[in-house]
Amino acid sequence: MQKDGQLELPVAQYLRLRRHIPPLYGVLAINVVALAFTHRATAPLYLTLGVPFLLVLACLQRIHVWTRPVAPAAIAVTEAERLMRRTTWLGIGMALGFLAWALVLDQYGTPEQRGHVMLFIAATMMACIFCLTYLPRAATAIGVIVICAFTLYCVLQGSEERIAMALSIGVVTGLILFVIRDSFAAFVHLEASRDALIAGQRRAERLEAESARLARTDALTQLPNRRRFLEDVEQRLEGCSPDKRFSIGLLDLDGFKPVNDTHGHAQGDRLLQAIGGRIAALCDGKATVARLGGDEFGVIVPAAIDAAQELMQRICLTVQEPVELGDTLVSVGASGGVAAYPDSGRDVNDLFDRADFALYYAKRHARGNCLKFSAEFENLIRADHLVESALQSADLSREVSLVFQLIYDIEKMVPVAAEALARWSSPIAGTVAPEMLVSCAERLGILRVLTLHLFDLALASAAVMPQHLRISFNLSAGDLTNPQTITGILDRIGASGIDPYRLVFEVTETSLISNFATAVRELQHLRETGAKIALDDFGTGFSSFNSLQQLPLDVLKIDKSFADRIEDISCRRVLNGIRSLAFSMSLDCVIEGIETEEQLTAVRSLGFRFVQGFHLAAPRSLKDIAALVGVA
Ligand code: C2E
Ligand code: CA
Ligand code: CA
């Protein structure tokens, strides 16, 4: 029997005996025949033919038994022990039988023939002892019994030479027994150390396999981790020809950060586990899921891009279902991006970047959905590269400026604030949308410089605008998470002489999500000066009414999408709700994106007071604003 691939000692012993015992019986049979032959003329027939025949037959039978094929692994330890016990008794019996025959034959021989008998006894006994090295108790028993019986026989015969010979054989036998006991002990030791070695090897192998598994498993969700995900993609690419399609999907949770900040990291972890389990259950048999880190998951789908997008879309929906954390129900969302081999990319980096780009795009423009990477995105990437290189060599003070869009109080129909909007006219990239300018500056690590440049312009403009007009300034996620940017803004406010009450900082829900706690802290610093904080694009993001309460806010800017659907009764109902909520929290509301008189009328009838939109005023240069409101 084997334990962990190695043999137990009795089995190892038995297998050695299987190699040694058959030749032993062979030698015995030959010796019997030789002795019988030399006594053929002097001894009776039953001793030279009958008994030898039986002895040889017994030898052949034993050879047959010992040479029967057996698989080492099939031998049980107890069976090996039983067979060896039997071998010991049988060996003693056979040895006595052979000895008795030889001694009886000794009665009939001439001095030479009697010498042959002595040799037969000594030689066969030595052979027995050697061949039983791995069964020392049998070797010892046979040696002791044969020597004692033989010596007794010699003593009874009274021949001095024979007694002396018996003693010599006895001494040599003792020595041989001593040596084979030693070599058996060495054998036992060897087996034990080999066992230990093999066991050590097995343990090392198991440890290695376990640590390899751990290095590729996410400790929190027990899903494969980023490393394993990338390896799996690589592996697929290795064996993949362009006609074998597969897709990778990236998923990022929306609104996870606030949950983590509000409910604590332990609950955040539990939420990730629950969501990980949910995604894995949905993908079971269809795709492999990994947690790539933070609130990001990756999926490998052995299908073309449309099927992969469909699966990812279902994942986004599943993630949205509320999760029970203790006695509270928490919900987050998920946005995703998919890219497919070979259309979106042919190596792991390309595929990952493309899926990431689609995800990034979904986060900004189609939250809660999964987008697939397409040719359109490829153009966007190219445009991004062009804009990046243009921005790297841009002269901000000459190329980047501000325009202002007025916000009206529609009760009195007077402008109350002007929102500063960035404009970049690049000699290389042409007119670039402000969102692109901001995200590009963030990627290049120059967002702080850009924001402070824009803020300088805003303060300079504020200084020349009428005192009753507030100035709204947009801050992005990158600004809110960089305390140095906020310090720069605070310093500039102090140095400008502008009354901070005239300043409004606009932030979006999305910009808060990435690092909620820091963003809230920085907003508080700004608000402490007396400046106001507006939540921009309200209604598109994820912050629930619950998280509104945790933000230091003064104004809600209701996203343009509400103005677009204002004809819709359900939309009006929501707007009503938002108005009451804002009222109860002492927040002002600004409705953005009013483009028509009808929309304006509807907004008015719903009881809103502050409005912004092309219908009232499009963004204009400072000079044009001056003409409208009169510059100090
Ligand atoms: P936002 O803060 O929501 O700004 C309002 C955007 O809506 C402006 O686009 C404005 O021109 C546009 N808009 C205003 N009224 C209407 C309307 O009636 N109809 C339509 N269709 N659009 C209207 P703009 O200037 O292209 O800015 C886009 C976004 O870029 C801004 O959205 C803001 O998130 C960002 N942004 C602009 N300037 C800055 C800046 O100085 N810093 C930062 N961080 N972001 C900026
Ligand atoms: Ca804004
Ligand atoms: Ca807005």
Side-chain angles (χ1 to χ4, degrees):
M1 184 61 102
Q2 290 175 306
K3 53 174 181 191
D4 265 349
Q6 79 247 40
L7 295 171
E8 299 268 14
L9 181 68
V11 181
Q13 257 179 292
Y14 172 73
L15 290 175
R16 298 278 180 145
L17 289 173
R18 278 179 60 85
R19 279 164 57 80
H20 297 168
I21 288 184
L24 167 65
Y25 279 115
V27 167
L28 286 182
I30 292 167
N31 286 358
V32 165
V33 172
L35 191 64
F37 182 75
T38 55
H39 286 73
R40 66 187 184 283
T42 49
L45 206 58
Y46 79 95
L47 280 180
T48 54
L49 209 63
V51 178
F53 176 75
L54 291 177
L55 291 177
V56 170
L57 209 62
C59 287
L60 293 178
Q61 193 271 338
R62 297 316 299 151
I63 290 173
H64 171 71
V65 168
W66 279 95
T67 50
R68 265 198 304 236
V70 284
I75 306 166
V77 174
T78 45
E79 176 66 1
E81 282 169 342
R82 190 186 66 81
L83 288 171
M84 287 192 291
R85 263 195 312 275
R86 203 177 70 176
T87 303
T88 307
W89 287 115
L90 213 69
I92 294 170
M94 297 272 275
L96 286 176
F98 277 87
L99 180 68
W101 171 68
L103 293 182
V104 175
L105 214 55
D106 192 53
Q107 313 301 315
Y108 301 96
T110 61
E112 271 159 22
Q113 283 172 324
R114 297 187 75 193
H116 188 179
V117 169
M118 289 290 277
L119 183 77
F120 171 81
I121 292 169
T124 47
M125 187 184 60
M126 300 295 175
C128 278
I129 291 173
F130 274 122
C131 291
L132 291 170
T133 303
Y134 294 100
L135 191 54
R137 61 164 189 262
T140 311
I142 290 170
V144 170
I145 290 169
V146 170
I147 285 299
C148 290
F150 180 59
T151 311
L152 186 68
Y153 172 79
C154 294
V155 170
L156 289 178
Q157 288 226 321
S159 150
E160 267 178 23
E161 294 83 357
R162 288 208 140 205
I163 293 172
M165 275 165 89
L167 284 176
S168 304
I169 294 171
V171 173
V172 173
T173 305
L175 182 67
I176 292 172
L177 282 174
F178 171 72
V179 173
I180 69 151
R181 281 203 163 253
D182 257 11
S183 73
F184 180 71
F187 164 76
V188 172
H189 181 72
L190 194 77
E191 284 293 312
S193 49
R194 206 176 50 194
D195 280 6
L197 199 76
I198 292 173
Q201 240 168 24
R202 295 266 185 285
R203 215 175 311 124
E205 279 165 15
R206 271 199 301 273
L207 275 176
E208 206 177 286
E210 179 62 7
S211 68
R213 192 187 69 77
L214 287 178
R216 282 162 183 72
T217 305
D218 171 55
L220 184 67
T221 57
Q222 297 306 314
L223 290 172
N225 64 9
R226 186 185 201 91
R227 178 189 289 192
R228 168 84 188 276
F229 178 78
L230 294 177
E231 278 176 3
D232 284 357
V233 176
E234 294 260 25
Q235 219 167 43
R236 272 184 181 272
L237 285 169
E238 268 167 30
C240 216
S241 57
D243 57 312
K244 260 216 152 178
R245 285 157 196 279
F246 74 93
S247 308
I248 66 167
L250 300 181
L251 194 85
D252 193 280
L253 303 188
D254 300 323
F256 173 71
K257 201 86 192 160
V259 171
N260 217 22
D261 292 340
T262 320
H263 298 276
H265 288 270
Q267 295 288 58
D269 284 355
R270 233 165 278 156
L271 179 66
L272 285 174
Q273 282 170 333
I275 286 176
R278 226 182 246 178
I279 302 175
L282 189 75
C283 290
D284 193 25
K286 298 186 204 85
T288 43
V289 190
R291 178 172 171 234
L292 305 180
D295 57 354
E296 221 179 285
F297 293 86
V299 181
I300 305 174
V301 194
I305 198 157
D306 288 327
Q309 187 191 19
E310 206 239 325
L311 177 67
M312 289 287 288
Q313 193 66 39
R314 274 197 285 143
I315 295 177
C316 289
L317 285 177
T318 325
V319 171
Q320 275 173 28
E321 283 162 29
V323 176
E324 222 171 289
L325 292 182
D327 45 10
T328 45
L329 269 184
V330 178
S331 2
V332 289
S335 307
V338 278
Y341 171 86
D343 298 337
S344 318
R346 283 169 182 259
D347 69 40
V348 64
N349 288 336
D350 278 357
L351 281 172
F352 199 92
D353 286 352
R354 300 294 191 269
D356 200 36
F357 191 88
L359 164 65
Y360 168 82
Y361 201 85
K363 278 237 168 239
R364 300 200 132 212
H365 304 285
R367 234 156 218 275
N369 292 292
C370 172
L371 297 182
K372 60 180 177 186
F373 189 84
S374 62
E376 201 180 296
F377 283 128
E378 198 67 62
N379 293 336
L380 282 176
I381 288 183
R382 255 183 239 127
D384 266 5
H385 288 327
L386 176 71
V387 170
E388 267 178 30
S389 68
L391 188 58
Q392 258 163 341
S393 59
D395 177 354
L396 293 184
S397 60
R398 284 184 48 195
E399 296 173 25
V400 177
S401 58
L402 282 179
V403 293
F404 296 88
Q405 188 180 25
L406 294 171
I407 296 168
Y408 280 81
D409 172 349
I410 51 172
E411 278 178 12
K412 300 181 193 138
M413 242 359 213
V414 289
V416 287
E419 178 178 2
L421 297 162
R423 292 292 176 263
W424 178 26
S425 175
S426 158
I428 301 168
T431 304
V432 178
E435 292 107 325
M436 197 157 190
L437 167 66
V438 169
S439 62
C440 197
E442 188 161 3
R443 280 200 300 278
L444 293 178
I446 56 164
L447 181 64
R448 183 172 159 267
V449 177
L450 173 73
T451 300
L452 294 181
H453 166 66
L454 289 169
F455 193 60
D456 283 338
L457 293 178
L459 287 176
S461 308
V464 296
M465 280 193 203
Q467 287 292 313
H468 68 270
L469 216 56
R470 288 199 163 121
I471 302 293
S472 244
F473 187 78
N474 290 286
L475 290 175
S476 65
D479 296 321
L480 288 172
T481 47
N482 186 348
Q484 280 180 306
T485 306
I486 304 301
T487 313
I489 288 175
L490 293 171
D491 291 347
R492 279 164 173 77
I493 297 174
S496 68
I498 303 274
D499 184 349
Y501 287 96
R502 286 183 65 204
L503 297 175
V504 181
F505 290 97
E506 298 193 3
V507 296
T508 59
E509 295 169 87
T510 335
S511 68
L512 299 171
I513 278 170
S514 64
N515 197 339
F516 195 75
T518 315
V520 167
R521 200 179 53 230
E522 298 307 328
L523 286 180
Q524 261 151 359
H525 288 151
L526 290 171
R527 202 162 178 251
E528 277 157 17
T529 63
K532 295 193 184 309
I533 308 295
L535 188 60
D536 207 352
D537 303 346
F538 181 72
T540 54
F542 253 89
S543 63
S544 55
F545 293 146
N546 197 14
S547 64
L548 276 186
Q549 269 151 356
Q550 298 167 40
L551 292 171
L553 285 184
D554 305 282
V555 181
L556 286 187
K557 290 190 79 179
I558 299 165
D559 190 67
K560 181 179 179 304
S561 53
F562 288 91
D564 291 343
R565 289 183 290 124
I566 203 146
E567 301 294 308
D568 192 341
I569 182 79
S570 63
C571 172
R572 287 196 211 201
R573 229 177 272 138
V574 176
L575 280 173
N576 258 326
I578 294 178
R579 202 201 50 231
S580 326
L581 174 92
F583 181 77
S584 70
M585 290 172 72
S586 308
L587 301 175
D588 280 338
C589 279
V590 177
I591 305 259
E592 295 186 299
I594 295 297
E595 293 179 337
T596 65
E597 186 59 33
E598 289 75 34
Q599 287 173 338
L600 186 62
T601 313
V603 163
R604 196 175 266 135
S605 72
L606 283 169
F608 286 96
R609 185 174 169 193
F610 301 107
V611 170
Q612 187 181 18
F614 289 169
H615 181 61
L616 295 142
R620 290 188 177 141
S621 67
L622 182 63
K623 211 168 111 229
D624 290 349
I625 293 285
L628 266 177
V629 295
V631 166

